[in-house]
Amino acid sequence: MSTGPGADSAPAPTTPDTTPDDPVERKSSMFSSLKVRNYRLFFMGQVVSNTGTWMQRIAQDWLVLSLTGSSTAVGITTALQFLPMLLFGLYGGVLVDRLPKRPTLLVTQTAMGLTGLALAFLTITGHVEVWHVYVAAFAVGLATVLDNPARQSFVSEMVGPDQLQNAVSLNSANFQSARLIGPAVAGVLITGVGTGWAFLFNGLSFVAPIVGLLLMRARELYVVERAPRGKGQMREGLRYVAGRPELLWPIVLVGFVGTFAFNFPVYLSAFADDIFHAGAGSYSLFNTLMAVGSVAGALLAARRGTAKMSVLIAAAVAFGALEVVASLAPSLWLFALLMAPIGIAAMTVNVTANTSIQMATDPAMRGRVLSLYMMVFLGGSPVGAPIVGWITDTYGARVGFAVGGTIAATAATVIGLILARAGGLRLSVRWNHGHPVVRFVPRERREEMATVA
């Protein structure tokens, strides 16, 4: 296939021997993919929709906590939202590889918008009960089964392989930038007029991406050959990932991180309510400051233009360690300030894993691989959220947060050592201008130095 509009090409897979430290080079300016009209429309629509999504997340968590007074209930809500991804995520990827992406996204975005409007009506009229929130969360999760892999893989059809790294990073920056606005506005609405208005804004916000999708020029999309209907396509996707360490180990790592360390609705709401005895405004502040760090992390990834496995491992270790440090913070303001570096590390993990997986995957398999990635990353929450919610309720928010961070850092360390051993690498620690430099280097280099000595 050609690599111009109307076609796409599969990137060459990375060999296992070089996976742990070889970059996927995609040098570009920080905002270069926005020059593409179709992607620009998509990006602008997502700015509005993502703001509404973050408003609903804050309002939903706080509403459940207000109705029940239980961190476990917040964990159940999170679990129900991500349970469909765990149950049906792989099949969703199979469907996405068969279906045209733009019409699929029109359906899923419409469904999520209607769900937000229904929850807004129930809340504003005073008839909302906790089971209504559970149903709404599960409905959004069902739409996400198709929406996530379709939206992720549609990026390559808009910008092509050369701009994929930049576009993935800007998508993350977009999502996290909305996180700066959404929680702040949600906090004002919750304390001023109630949670229902945040749900209403979210429902209406889906008009923007739907209009953007309708305005796109189909002739300017990079055409990807869709997978034909056939038996065994789900197993084919699993075998494809299992046979490629550059895909398998990042997915395993984000599984541990997503299941135990990314349950921020449980952790942050508990810290705001139980540890610091603050209100919804403090919960919004924690999310906003974390978003500041996340935006910085995403923009740094867009500028970096590489997807190194060593960066992924180091960021995951730092992320877990920072969560442990934050769990010990004695004051609200110190805890809040730690949210920014946690956001940087979290977004570095997210963007690096996402980019490396997309760049190493054949376009015809991208929906299945991305659905597996999202199923593990997001679908782990139904398992992790009730567990960390129970730990938080039983032993306190500090213990729950520390446990999640410890699991993430330990998993990253173990996987890093496995990859290093499989790739014939060793860990090298040296000082450069007074700063430690940690990286993986070939074992042969140490042997050569010993020979010279």
Side-chain angles (χ1 to χ4, degrees):
M1 294 183 181
S2 65
T3 57
D8 199 359
S9 62
T14 310
T15 60
D17 290 341
T18 60
T19 296
D21 206 30
D22 274 7
V24 178
E25 298 290 347
R26 286 290 184 274
K27 299 295 185 182
S28 61
S29 65
M30 187 176 289
F31 302 103
S32 57
S33 56
L34 289 177
K35 297 176 183 177
V36 180
R37 179 183 180 274
N38 284 342
Y39 179 71
R40 194 162 59 247
L41 288 169
F42 176 85
F43 186 89
M44 291 187 295
Q46 290 299 307
V47 167
V48 179
S49 178
N50 286 336
T51 300
T53 296
W54 276 112
M55 290 176 65
Q56 174 146 328
R57 285 191 178 188
I58 300 300
Q60 174 179 281
D61 298 336
W62 200 256
L63 176 62
V64 171
L65 194 63
S66 300
L67 291 172
T68 65
S70 169
S71 293
T72 301
V74 177
I76 291 172
T77 307
T78 303
L80 286 171
Q81 187 159 332
F82 296 121
L83 182 62
M85 180 63 71
L86 182 63
L87 296 177
F88 312 117
L90 287 177
Y91 188 65
V94 172
L95 290 177
V96 166
D97 278 337
R98 295 175 183 172
L99 297 171
K101 307 300 185 296
R102 189 162 59 138
T104 300
L105 288 172
L106 285 169
V107 173
T108 58
Q109 296 281 295
T110 300
M112 288 190 284
L114 292 175
T115 302
L117 293 175
L119 193 56
F121 174 78
L122 289 170
T123 307
I124 292 173
T125 58
H127 293 94
V128 69
E129 299 179 21
V130 69
W131 71 268
H132 293 143
V133 185
Y134 289 165
V135 171
F138 189 75
V140 170
L142 285 175
T144 302
V145 169
L146 289 179
D147 186 80
N148 260 343
R151 187 160 33 84
Q152 299 272 352
S153 56
F154 187 51
V155 173
S156 64
E157 297 186 22
M158 288 184 285
V159 302
D162 291 340
Q163 294 290 343
L164 182 58
Q165 158 77 17
N166 183 263
V168 169
S169 299
L170 289 183
N171 279 352
S172 298
N174 184 332
F175 187 68
Q176 298 302 327
S177 295
R179 191 175 179 180
L180 291 172
I181 304 171
V185 177
V188 172
L189 288 177
I190 291 171
T191 57
V193 294
T195 56
W197 296 97
F199 298 140
L200 179 62
F201 183 94
N202 178 56
L204 295 176
S205 72
F206 283 94
V207 173
I210 291 171
V211 171
L213 288 166
L214 292 173
L215 291 176
M216 288 183 183
R217 297 169 181 165
R219 66 181 182 276
E220 295 179 6
L221 294 173
Y222 287 71
V223 177
V224 175
E225 184 177 352
R226 297 198 297 271
R229 181 184 297 272
K231 293 183 179 180
Q233 289 179 320
M234 189 182 299
R235 292 191 299 272
E236 181 187 8
L238 292 173
R239 286 195 300 268
Y240 182 84
V241 171
R244 290 164 173 79
E246 69 274 18
L247 299 178
L248 176 62
W249 289 111
I251 290 175
V252 172
L253 176 57
V254 299
F256 278 101
V257 173
T259 299
F260 297 102
F262 262 76
N263 286 288
F264 295 116
V266 177
Y267 297 136
L268 301 188
S269 62
F271 265 86
D273 193 46
D274 299 332
I275 301 298
F276 301 121
H277 306 290
S282 294
Y283 180 45
S284 296
L285 174 65
F286 296 156
N287 281 276
T288 300
L289 290 175
M290 186 177 293
V292 172
S294 298
V295 171
L299 291 177
L300 286 172
R303 185 176 183 180
R304 185 165 56 241
T306 61
K308 291 184 178 181
M309 192 65 68
S310 59
V311 173
L312 174 60
I313 298 297
V317 172
F319 173 61
L322 285 166
E323 286 198 347
V324 174
V325 172
S327 72
L328 303 174
S331 68
L332 184 149
W333 289 108
L334 181 57
F335 181 84
L337 289 175
L338 285 169
M339 293 300 101
I342 286 175
I344 292 174
M347 190 49 51
T348 303
V349 172
N350 193 346
V351 171
T352 305
N354 191 313
T355 302
S356 63
I357 287 171
Q358 289 212 48
M359 295 304 298
T361 302
D362 187 283
M365 299 291 296
R366 197 166 282 152
R368 277 164 283 183
V369 173
L370 286 173
S371 69
L372 177 61
Y373 167 74
M374 299 307 297
M375 183 191 77
V376 171
F377 186 42
L378 300 179
S381 291
V383 177
I387 294 174
V388 300
W390 176 80
I391 294 174
T392 299
D393 279 339
T394 305
Y395 300 101
R398 295 188 185 279
V399 173
F401 208 18
V403 168
T406 300
I407 291 175
T410 302
T413 302
V414 171
I415 290 172
L417 293 174
I418 291 173
L419 284 170
R421 184 176 181 84
L425 304 175
R426 67 178 179 86
L427 187 66
S428 170
V429 182
R430 61 186 180 83
W431 289 87
N432 183 23
H433 301 295
H435 299 285
V437 178
V438 182
R439 60 179 300 186
F440 290 108
V441 298
R443 291 181 183 275
E444 291 75 9
R445 184 178 301 176
R446 181 173 60 182
E447 295 172 359
E448 291 173 2
M449 292 176 63
T451 303
V452 172

